[in-house]
Each structure stands twice: as structure tokens, then as C-alpha cells.
């Protein structure tokens, strides 16, 4: 029996595949475009953008089952196709014998130490209203004071992702919404020194926005490259 190739495993959300289609390998365009190593994907049963973003503890068993399937298929590290999967980070890490980086949000404590204490880090999310200090790993007032949060909730992309199945959002639309959000954050906080993207659709426009803003932008693919290289 042949050994499956080393790959990054992605925990996908439901996308509403049509009859005869597979949703497991869909919805990972941002990963495929940016990452230069093999990818395998499994859909987390019942996990749609709306209930994952808002938080649904009953999904944890499905997350673990999908992660275990990924390991069986050769995944040497695991991530997820929604940043709000951070709620299941600890359970996933305990359930599989490979590194788990369920969300780019786990980079935040590192970024706070990479930059001077006079610098703020902007976290930009699909829905800022659903982020908590616990999800961001913020445990003290000094760190909290250095983090500013923005989101594109209510916009076209958010409205699309709240539907079942979610219609496609053009990357140009995502970029327009992110540019507006970032501009407001920087106007209110001119000491922002770096940006962390929560949403896994945002990497599609990360390169363009790095050029536009002149700031370092970290996203889930940044984390995946680091994690896979060490696995």
C-alpha cells in the first residue's frame, strides 16, 4: 500500500456542492494560488460560514472527524477555511498527532512581540462583531491596547457568505471592501504598523493590498507556509 504524499490538510466549510460534485476540494482558491505544496481538503459536516462565524459548539465533533480523515490522507499539518474555526483550535490539536493552525488569529501574540510597543496591529475580519479577546489570545490590558479591530460585516462578501449556499464574491469586490475598512482604521489609528487578516478569502487580495497600503499584511497562507515548513 502506497504512502500518501505529505500535504497540508484544509478543513473546509460546506459550500453546497451540486449533485455529482465534491465540495471537499472547492473553496480553497486562496490557498492554491499562494501555496507551493500539496493540499488535501475535507468538508466539516454542517459547518457553514454563518454558524461557524457566530459560533456553534455542536460542530466540534465534525471538525475532529474531518481532521482525522485529513491525517489519514497524508496531512502533516492542518488548517481551516474559516478564521472563526479558532474556537476549535485546542480540541483539534488534542485530537490529531500533527500541528494544527486552525486560524491566522493565532499569529497575533507573535506579531505583538515582533513590533515595537508603540505600534498597533490591525485585525481585519469578515465580521468583527463576533471576535472576542479569548479568540484573539489577548490576556492583558497592554496587549489589548495595541490591537485595533475592523470588519466588513454588512458588505457584499459578508452577505454572500451568510447564505446557504454562498454565492461567489469577485476578488475585486473583496478588495474594495477591505480598502475602505483599512483606510478607516488607519485614519483613526495612524500608528498601525501591520495588518492581520482573519478571513481565508482575503489572501486573494493580500498582495495588492500590501502594495496599496505599504504595510506588512499577514494572513492564513503566511501561517500555513510557516507551519508546513516545520512539519
Amino acid at each position: 500500500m502506497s504512502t500518501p504524499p505529505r500535504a497540508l490538510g484544509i478543513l473546509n466549510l460546506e459550500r453546497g456542492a451540486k449533485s455529482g460534485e465534491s465540495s471537499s476540494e472547492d473553496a480553497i482558491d486562496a490557498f492554491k494560488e499562494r501555496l507551493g505544496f500539496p493540499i488535501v481538503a475535507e468538508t466539516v459536516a454542517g459547518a457553514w460560514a454563518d454558524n461557524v462565524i457566530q459560533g456553534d459548539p455542536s460542530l466540534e465533533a465534525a471538525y475532529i472527524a474531518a481532521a482525522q480523515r485529513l491525517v489519514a490522507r497524508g496531512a502533516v499539518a492542518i488548517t481551516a477555511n474559516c478564521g472563526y474555526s479558532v474556537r476549535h483550535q485546542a480540541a483539534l490539536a488534542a485530537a490529531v498527532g500533527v500541528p494544527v493552525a486552525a486560524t491566522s488569529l493565532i499569529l497575533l501574540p507573535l506579531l505583538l512581540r515582533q513590533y515595537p510597543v508603540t505600534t498597533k496591529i490591525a485585525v481585519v475580519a469578515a465580521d468583527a462583531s463576533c471576535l472576542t479577546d479569548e479568540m484573539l489570545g489577548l490576556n492583558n490590558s497592554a496587549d489589548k491596547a495595541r490591537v485595533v479591530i475592523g470588519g466588513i460585516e454588512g458588505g457584499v462578501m459578508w452577505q454572500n457568505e451568510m447564505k446557504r449556499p454562498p454565492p461567489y464574491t469577485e476578488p475585486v469586490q473583496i478588495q474594495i471592501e477591505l480598502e475602505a475598512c483599512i483606510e478607516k482604521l488607519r485614519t483613526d489609528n495612524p500608528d498601525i504598523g501591520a495588518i492581520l487578516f482573519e478571513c481565508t478569502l482575503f489572501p486573494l487580495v493580500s498582495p495588492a493590498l500590501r502594495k496599496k497600503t505599504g504595510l506588512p499584511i499577514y494572513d492564513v497562507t503566511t501561517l500555513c507556509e510557516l507551519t508546513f515548513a516545520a512539519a
Side-chain angles (χ1 to χ4, degrees), residues 197-216:
F197 281 164
E198 166 275 322
C199 180
T200 57
L201 289 175
F202 294 175
L204 289 168
V205 297
S206 290
L209 288 174
R210 287 189 185 100
K211 292 180 181 179
K212 180 87 173 180
T213 64
L215 291 176

Side-chain angles (χ1 to χ4, degrees), residues 101-114:
T103 173
S104 61
L105 296 177
I106 65 175
L107 285 171
L108 184 57
L110 172 64
L111 299 184
L112 286 168
R113 281 142 190 84
Q114 281 191 335

